Amino acid sequence: MRNITTIVILLLIGGALFCVGTVGALAQTQGVRQFTTTQQQTNQQTQKQGQKQTQTQSSKKTQSQSQNKSLGLQSFIPPGDGATSGRIVQLFAVITVLSVAPGLLIMVTCFTRFVVAFSFLRAGLGLQTTPANLILISLALFMTFYVMAPTFDKAWQDGVKPLVDNKISEEEALARISAPFKAFMRAHVREKDLTLFADLAEAQMKASKPNQPTTPAKPSTNASPSKKELEMRVLIPAFMISELRRGFEIGFLVVLPFLVIDMIVATMTMSMGMMMLPPTIISLPFKILFFILIDGWNMLVGGLIRSFM
Protein backbone atom coordinates (compact mmCIF):
# COMPACT_ATOMS: atom_id res chain seq x y z
CA MET A 1 0.00 0.00 0.00
CA ARG A 2 2.74 2.36 0.84
CA ASN A 3 4.35 1.70 -2.53
CA ILE A 4 1.08 2.35 -4.30
CA THR A 5 0.55 5.58 -2.33
CA THR A 6 4.07 6.73 -3.14
CA ILE A 7 3.54 6.05 -6.83
CA VAL A 8 0.24 7.95 -6.82
CA ILE A 9 1.87 10.94 -5.06
CA LEU A 10 4.73 10.92 -7.54
CA LEU A 11 2.25 10.81 -10.43
CA LEU A 12 0.31 13.71 -8.97
CA ILE A 13 3.50 15.72 -8.47
CA GLY A 14 4.63 14.94 -12.04
CA GLY A 15 1.22 15.94 -13.43
CA ALA A 16 1.32 19.18 -11.47
CA LEU A 17 4.82 19.89 -12.70
CA PHE A 18 3.74 19.09 -16.25
CA CYS A 19 0.79 21.48 -15.96
CA VAL A 20 2.98 24.20 -14.53
CA GLY A 21 5.52 23.74 -17.33
CA THR A 22 2.82 23.79 -19.96
CA VAL A 23 1.32 26.99 -18.54
CA GLY A 24 4.78 28.60 -18.36
CA ALA A 25 5.51 27.61 -21.93
CA LEU A 26 2.21 29.05 -23.10
CA ALA A 27 2.87 32.28 -21.19
CA GLN A 28 6.36 32.48 -22.65
CA THR A 29 5.07 32.02 -26.18
CA GLN A 30 2.44 34.71 -25.62
CA GLY A 31 5.10 37.05 -24.26
CA VAL A 32 7.31 36.36 -27.25
CA ARG A 33 4.42 37.03 -29.57
CA GLN A 34 3.59 40.32 -27.82
CA PHE A 35 7.26 41.34 -27.92
CA THR A 36 7.49 40.55 -31.62
CA THR A 37 4.33 42.50 -32.39
CA THR A 38 5.53 45.52 -30.41
CA GLN A 39 8.90 45.24 -32.11
CA GLN A 40 7.22 45.14 -35.49
CA GLN A 41 5.09 48.17 -34.59
CA THR A 42 8.15 50.13 -33.44
CA ASN A 43 9.97 49.13 -36.64
CA GLN A 44 7.05 50.31 -38.73
CA GLN A 45 6.92 53.61 -36.82
CA THR A 46 10.65 54.14 -37.27
CA GLN A 47 10.32 53.34 -40.98
CA LYS A 48 7.48 55.84 -41.33
CA GLN A 49 9.47 58.50 -39.47
CA GLY A 50 12.50 57.79 -41.68
CA GLN A 51 10.36 58.12 -44.78
CA LYS A 52 8.96 61.42 -43.50
CA GLN A 53 12.44 62.70 -42.75
CA THR A 54 13.70 61.69 -46.19
CA GLN A 55 10.69 63.37 -47.76
CA THR A 56 11.27 66.58 -45.80
CA GLN A 57 14.98 66.51 -46.63
CA SER A 58 14.25 65.98 -50.33
CA SER A 59 11.69 68.80 -50.28
CA LYS A 60 14.22 71.08 -48.57
CA LYS A 61 16.82 70.13 -51.15
CA THR A 62 14.44 70.87 -54.00
CA GLN A 63 13.50 74.20 -52.40
CA SER A 64 17.15 75.13 -51.92
CA GLN A 65 17.92 74.10 -55.49
CA SER A 66 15.02 76.19 -56.78
CA GLN A 67 16.18 79.12 -54.66
CA ASN A 68 19.73 78.71 -55.95
CA LYS A 69 18.39 78.62 -59.48
CA SER A 70 16.24 81.69 -58.91
CA LEU A 71 18.86 83.60 -56.91
CA GLY A 72 21.98 82.34 -58.61
CA LEU A 73 24.63 84.54 -60.18
CA GLN A 74 23.42 83.74 -63.68
CA SER A 75 20.03 85.30 -62.86
CA PHE A 76 21.73 88.64 -62.21
CA ILE A 77 24.32 88.38 -65.00
CA PRO A 78 23.25 87.45 -68.55
CA PRO A 79 24.72 84.23 -69.95
CA GLY A 80 27.91 84.56 -71.95
CA ASP A 81 31.01 82.78 -73.10
CA GLY A 82 33.18 83.50 -70.03
CA ALA A 83 33.34 81.70 -66.73
CA THR A 84 31.77 82.90 -63.50
CA SER A 85 34.89 84.77 -62.46
CA GLY A 86 34.91 86.53 -65.79
CA ARG A 87 31.29 87.53 -65.34
CA ILE A 88 32.08 88.96 -61.91
CA VAL A 89 34.91 91.01 -63.40
CA GLN A 90 32.51 92.28 -66.07
CA LEU A 91 30.00 93.24 -63.39
CA PHE A 92 32.64 95.25 -61.52
CA ALA A 93 33.63 96.89 -64.81
CA VAL A 94 30.01 97.94 -65.40
CA ILE A 95 29.79 99.40 -61.88
CA THR A 96 33.03 101.30 -62.48
CA VAL A 97 31.69 102.72 -65.74
CA LEU A 98 28.51 103.82 -63.99
CA SER A 99 30.58 105.60 -61.32
CA VAL A 100 32.28 107.74 -64.00
CA ALA A 101 29.05 108.34 -65.93
CA PRO A 102 29.12 112.14 -65.30
CA GLY A 103 32.56 112.30 -66.89
CA LEU A 104 31.34 110.32 -69.87
CA LEU A 105 28.40 112.70 -70.19
CA ILE A 106 30.79 115.65 -70.41
CA MET A 107 33.16 113.91 -72.83
CA VAL A 108 30.81 112.59 -75.52
CA THR A 109 27.93 115.10 -75.48
CA CYS A 110 27.33 118.80 -76.08
CA PHE A 111 27.37 119.58 -72.35
CA THR A 112 30.81 121.24 -72.54
CA ARG A 113 29.74 123.90 -75.03
CA PHE A 114 26.66 124.84 -73.02
CA VAL A 115 28.49 125.16 -69.69
CA VAL A 116 31.31 127.26 -71.16
CA ALA A 117 28.85 129.62 -72.84
CA PHE A 118 26.84 130.11 -69.65
CA SER A 119 30.02 130.74 -67.66
CA PHE A 120 31.03 133.49 -70.09
CA LEU A 121 27.55 134.99 -69.84
CA ARG A 122 27.73 135.26 -66.06
CA ALA A 123 31.25 136.70 -66.23
CA GLY A 124 30.17 139.27 -68.86
CA LEU A 125 27.23 140.39 -66.74
CA GLY A 126 29.58 140.86 -63.79
CA LEU A 127 27.52 138.60 -61.51
CA GLN A 128 29.58 136.31 -59.33
CA THR A 129 26.94 133.91 -58.01
CA THR A 130 23.81 134.74 -60.02
CA PRO A 131 22.56 132.54 -61.59
CA ALA A 132 23.88 129.87 -59.23
CA ASN A 133 26.04 127.03 -60.48
CA LEU A 134 23.25 124.54 -59.79
CA ILE A 135 20.86 126.45 -62.05
CA LEU A 136 23.36 126.81 -64.90
CA ILE A 137 24.41 123.15 -64.75
CA SER A 138 20.79 121.97 -64.58
CA LEU A 139 19.87 124.11 -67.57
CA ALA A 140 22.89 122.84 -69.51
CA LEU A 141 22.02 119.26 -68.55
CA PHE A 142 18.44 119.44 -69.80
CA MET A 143 19.57 121.18 -72.98
CA THR A 144 22.03 118.32 -73.44
CA PHE A 145 19.22 115.77 -73.08
CA TYR A 146 17.16 117.72 -75.60
CA VAL A 147 19.93 117.81 -78.20
CA MET A 148 21.16 114.26 -77.57
CA ALA A 149 17.69 112.66 -77.45
CA PRO A 150 17.93 111.06 -80.93
CA THR A 151 21.41 109.71 -80.10
CA PHE A 152 20.27 108.31 -76.76
CA ASP A 153 17.20 106.74 -78.34
CA LYS A 154 19.25 105.07 -81.08
CA ALA A 155 21.78 103.74 -78.56
CA TRP A 156 18.95 102.33 -76.44
CA GLN A 157 17.09 100.68 -79.29
CA ASP A 158 20.15 99.24 -81.04
CA GLY A 159 22.38 98.32 -78.11
CA VAL A 160 20.99 98.51 -74.58
CA LYS A 161 17.58 96.92 -75.14
CA PRO A 162 18.89 93.84 -77.05
CA LEU A 163 21.55 93.41 -74.36
CA VAL A 164 18.96 93.48 -71.57
CA ASP A 165 16.88 90.92 -73.50
CA ASN A 166 20.01 88.70 -73.87
CA LYS A 167 19.81 88.85 -77.65
CA ILE A 168 23.38 90.06 -78.22
CA SER A 169 26.70 89.78 -76.42
CA GLU A 170 28.45 92.54 -74.47
CA GLU A 171 31.03 93.16 -77.21
CA GLU A 172 28.37 93.63 -79.86
CA ALA A 173 26.29 95.79 -77.51
CA LEU A 174 29.29 98.04 -76.80
CA ALA A 175 29.86 98.54 -80.52
CA ARG A 176 26.19 99.31 -81.14
CA ILE A 177 25.93 101.72 -78.20
CA SER A 178 29.07 103.64 -79.14
CA ALA A 179 28.15 103.90 -82.84
CA PRO A 180 25.54 106.74 -82.42
CA PHE A 181 27.91 108.70 -80.16
CA LYS A 182 30.73 108.27 -82.65
CA ALA A 183 28.49 109.58 -85.42
CA PHE A 184 27.48 112.58 -83.30
CA MET A 185 31.05 113.45 -82.33
CA ARG A 186 32.30 112.91 -85.88
CA ALA A 187 29.68 115.34 -87.19
CA HIS A 188 30.78 118.14 -84.83
CA VAL A 189 34.55 117.68 -84.55
CA ARG A 190 37.04 119.85 -86.39
CA GLU A 191 39.19 118.10 -88.97
CA LYS A 192 42.29 119.86 -87.65
CA ASP A 193 41.80 118.53 -84.13
CA LEU A 194 40.94 115.07 -85.41
CA THR A 195 44.03 114.95 -87.58
CA LEU A 196 46.17 116.05 -84.64
CA PHE A 197 45.12 113.20 -82.38
CA ALA A 198 45.14 110.67 -85.24
CA ASP A 199 48.74 111.59 -86.05
CA LEU A 200 49.70 111.44 -82.38
CA ALA A 201 48.13 107.99 -82.02
CA GLU A 202 49.95 106.75 -85.12
CA ALA A 203 53.28 108.11 -83.87
CA GLN A 204 52.72 106.49 -80.48
CA MET A 205 51.96 103.16 -82.13
CA LYS A 206 55.16 103.35 -84.20
CA ALA A 207 57.22 104.25 -81.12
CA SER A 208 55.81 101.27 -79.21
CA LYS A 209 57.06 98.88 -81.94
CA PRO A 210 60.68 99.94 -82.63
CA ASN A 211 61.84 96.50 -83.82
CA GLN A 212 59.25 96.26 -86.55
CA PRO A 213 60.74 96.50 -90.09
CA THR A 214 59.98 99.78 -91.77
CA THR A 215 57.73 99.60 -94.76
CA PRO A 216 58.26 101.81 -97.78
CA ALA A 217 56.30 105.01 -97.66
CA LYS A 218 53.09 104.90 -99.62
CA PRO A 219 52.03 107.77 -101.78
CA SER A 220 49.79 110.21 -99.94
CA THR A 221 46.16 109.89 -100.87
CA ASN A 222 45.06 112.89 -98.74
CA ALA A 223 42.67 110.60 -96.94
CA SER A 224 40.76 112.32 -94.18
CA PRO A 225 40.49 110.60 -90.80
CA SER A 226 36.77 110.38 -91.50
CA LYS A 227 37.41 107.73 -94.11
CA LYS A 228 38.89 105.37 -91.51
CA GLU A 229 37.46 103.66 -88.48
CA LEU A 230 38.23 106.06 -85.65
CA GLU A 231 39.03 104.88 -82.15
CA MET A 232 37.36 106.45 -79.16
CA ARG A 233 40.74 107.46 -77.70
CA VAL A 234 41.28 109.59 -80.81
CA LEU A 235 37.76 110.89 -81.32
CA ILE A 236 36.87 111.90 -77.74
CA PRO A 237 39.78 114.30 -77.02
CA ALA A 238 39.47 115.82 -80.49
CA PHE A 239 35.75 116.38 -79.91
CA MET A 240 36.37 117.91 -76.48
CA ILE A 241 38.88 120.51 -77.65
CA SER A 242 36.61 121.31 -80.59
CA GLU A 243 33.74 121.93 -78.17
CA LEU A 244 35.98 124.11 -75.98
CA ARG A 245 36.97 126.18 -79.00
CA ARG A 246 33.38 126.71 -80.08
CA GLY A 247 32.36 127.48 -76.49
CA PHE A 248 35.02 130.18 -76.28
CA GLU A 249 33.93 131.61 -79.63
CA ILE A 250 30.33 131.86 -78.40
CA GLY A 251 31.56 133.29 -75.10
CA PHE A 252 33.48 136.04 -76.92
CA LEU A 253 30.35 137.04 -78.83
CA VAL A 254 28.34 137.04 -75.59
CA VAL A 255 30.84 139.13 -73.61
CA LEU A 256 31.56 141.68 -76.34
CA PRO A 257 28.37 143.86 -75.96
CA PHE A 258 28.78 143.91 -72.16
CA LEU A 259 32.40 144.99 -72.61
CA VAL A 260 31.21 147.90 -74.77
CA ILE A 261 28.78 148.95 -72.03
CA ASP A 262 31.60 148.83 -69.46
CA MET A 263 33.83 150.99 -71.65
CA ILE A 264 31.07 153.57 -72.19
CA VAL A 265 30.33 153.76 -68.47
CA ALA A 266 34.02 153.97 -67.58
CA THR A 267 34.53 156.83 -70.07
CA MET A 268 31.56 158.74 -68.67
CA THR A 269 32.69 158.35 -65.06
CA MET A 270 36.24 159.45 -65.95
CA SER A 271 34.95 162.49 -67.79
CA MET A 272 32.83 163.42 -64.76
CA GLY A 273 35.85 163.13 -62.46
CA MET A 274 34.55 160.15 -60.52
CA MET A 275 37.83 158.27 -60.58
CA MET A 276 37.32 156.47 -57.27
CA LEU A 277 33.94 155.01 -58.31
CA PRO A 278 34.22 151.52 -59.91
CA PRO A 279 32.53 151.58 -63.33
CA THR A 280 31.16 148.06 -62.83
CA ILE A 281 28.80 149.27 -60.09
CA ILE A 282 27.10 151.66 -62.48
CA SER A 283 27.29 149.45 -65.58
CA LEU A 284 25.75 146.39 -63.89
CA PRO A 285 22.10 147.65 -64.00
CA PHE A 286 22.56 148.76 -67.62
CA LYS A 287 23.95 145.36 -68.65
CA ILE A 288 21.11 143.51 -66.94
CA LEU A 289 18.57 145.85 -68.55
CA PHE A 290 20.20 145.38 -71.96
CA PHE A 291 20.16 141.59 -71.60
CA ILE A 292 16.46 141.63 -70.63
CA LEU A 293 15.43 143.96 -73.46
CA ILE A 294 17.02 141.82 -76.17
CA ASP A 295 15.53 138.65 -74.60
CA GLY A 296 19.00 137.30 -74.05
CA TRP A 297 18.11 133.90 -72.59
CA ASN A 298 15.92 133.04 -75.55
CA MET A 299 18.57 134.15 -78.02
CA LEU A 300 21.44 132.37 -76.28
CA VAL A 301 19.68 129.07 -75.61
CA GLY A 302 18.14 129.01 -79.08
CA GLY A 303 21.49 129.77 -80.70
CA LEU A 304 23.26 127.06 -78.70
CA ILE A 305 20.70 124.41 -79.62
CA ARG A 306 20.62 125.45 -83.29
CA SER A 307 24.40 125.14 -83.45
CA PHE A 308 23.95 121.34 -83.27
CA MET A 309 21.25 121.12 -85.93
Side-chain angles (χ1 to χ4, degrees):
M1 291 295 292
R2 291 180 180 178
N3 294 329
I4 295 171
T5 306
T6 305
I7 292 169
V8 171
I9 292 170
L10 291 173
L11 289 174
L12 291 173
I13 293 169
L17 292 173
F18 177 76
C19 292
V20 171
T22 305
V23 171
L26 291 174
Q28 187 176 2
T29 54
Q30 289 180 357
V32 170
R33 287 178 182 177
Q34 290 178 357
F35 178 75
T36 54
T37 53
T38 54
Q39 188 69 24
Q40 288 177 357
Q41 290 177 358
T42 54
N43 290 332
Q44 289 178 358
Q45 290 179 358
T46 54
Q47 287 179 358
K48 289 181 180 180
Q49 290 179 357
Q51 290 178 358
K52 289 181 180 180
Q53 289 178 358
T54 53
Q55 289 178 358
T56 54
Q57 288 177 358
S58 62
S59 63
K60 287 181 180 179
K61 285 182 180 179
T62 54
Q63 289 178 359
S64 63
Q65 287 177 359
S66 63
Q67 287 179 358
N68 290 331
K69 287 182 180 179
S70 61
L71 298 176
L73 183 62
Q74 298 298 328
S75 63
F76 295 100
I77 306 175
D81 298 330
T84 304
S85 59
R87 310 300 296 172
I88 294 173
V89 172
Q90 291 179 0
L91 181 61
F92 277 107
V94 170
I95 295 173
T96 304
V97 170
L98 291 177
S99 65
V100 296
L104 296 176
L105 176 67
I106 294 173
M107 289 188 291
V108 300
T109 62
C110 53
F111 183 80
T112 305
R113 187 185 302 188
F114 295 156
V115 169
V116 171
F118 290 151
S119 299
F120 272 100
L121 172 64
R122 189 169 64 179
L125 286 171
L127 301 172
Q128 300 297 325
T129 58
T130 306
N133 290 329
L134 179 61
I135 296 174
L136 293 181
I137 292 174
S138 301
L139 179 59
L141 189 63
F142 279 99
M143 289 171 62
T144 302
F145 289 151
Y146 179 81
V147 173
M148 299 294 295
T151 304
F152 290 152
D153 185 64
K154 187 172 179 60
W156 171 263
Q157 295 294 334
D158 295 344
V160 179
K161 189 174 181 181
L163 178 63
V164 173
D165 296 336
N166 292 330
K167 295 180 180 179
I168 58 176
S169 61
E170 288 81 358
E171 293 79 6
E172 187 178 357
L174 180 61
R176 290 188 180 186
I177 292 171
S178 61
F181 292 96
K182 282 185 177 180
F184 175 80
M185 290 187 288
R186 185 65 191 88
H188 297 93
V189 69
R190 287 200 317 159
E191 293 293 334
K192 185 177 180 181
D193 300 329
L194 191 60
T195 305
L196 170 65
F197 283 97
D199 293 341
L200 290 174
E202 187 176 357
Q204 185 181 9
M205 187 178 297
K206 289 180 179 179
S208 63
K209 299 177 181 179
N211 297 327
Q212 212 173 26
T214 58
T215 56
K218 295 181 180 180
S220 177
T221 56
N222 294 327
S224 174
S226 60
K227 304 293 180 64
K228 300 180 289 186
E229 184 66 24
L230 293 172
E231 298 179 358
M232 296 295 283
R233 69 187 184 98
V234 174
L235 188 57
I236 290 177
F239 174 74
M240 288 190 70
I241 64 173
S242 298
E243 288 297 292
L244 287 173
R245 177 186 172 85
R246 291 192 176 94
F248 275 73
E249 291 174 353
I250 296 171
F252 171 76
L253 296 177
V254 169
V255 170
L256 189 59
F258 300 123
L259 179 62
V260 172
I261 294 175
D262 285 334
M263 292 177 64
I264 294 173
V265 172
T267 303
M268 292 178 62
T269 54
M270 289 290 291
S271 63
M272 296 174 64
M274 294 185 292
M275 300 180 183
M276 302 299 296
L277 181 65
T280 55
I281 296 177
I282 301 175
S283 62
L284 179 60
F286 290 101
K287 289 189 287 187
I288 295 174
L289 180 62
F290 170 75
F291 189 71
I292 293 172
L293 290 176
I294 64 172
D295 198 2
W297 286 111
N298 185 281
M299 291 178 61
L300 180 60
V301 172
L304 288 171
I305 293 177
R306 291 189 191 96
S307 64
F308 288 97
M309 294 181 179

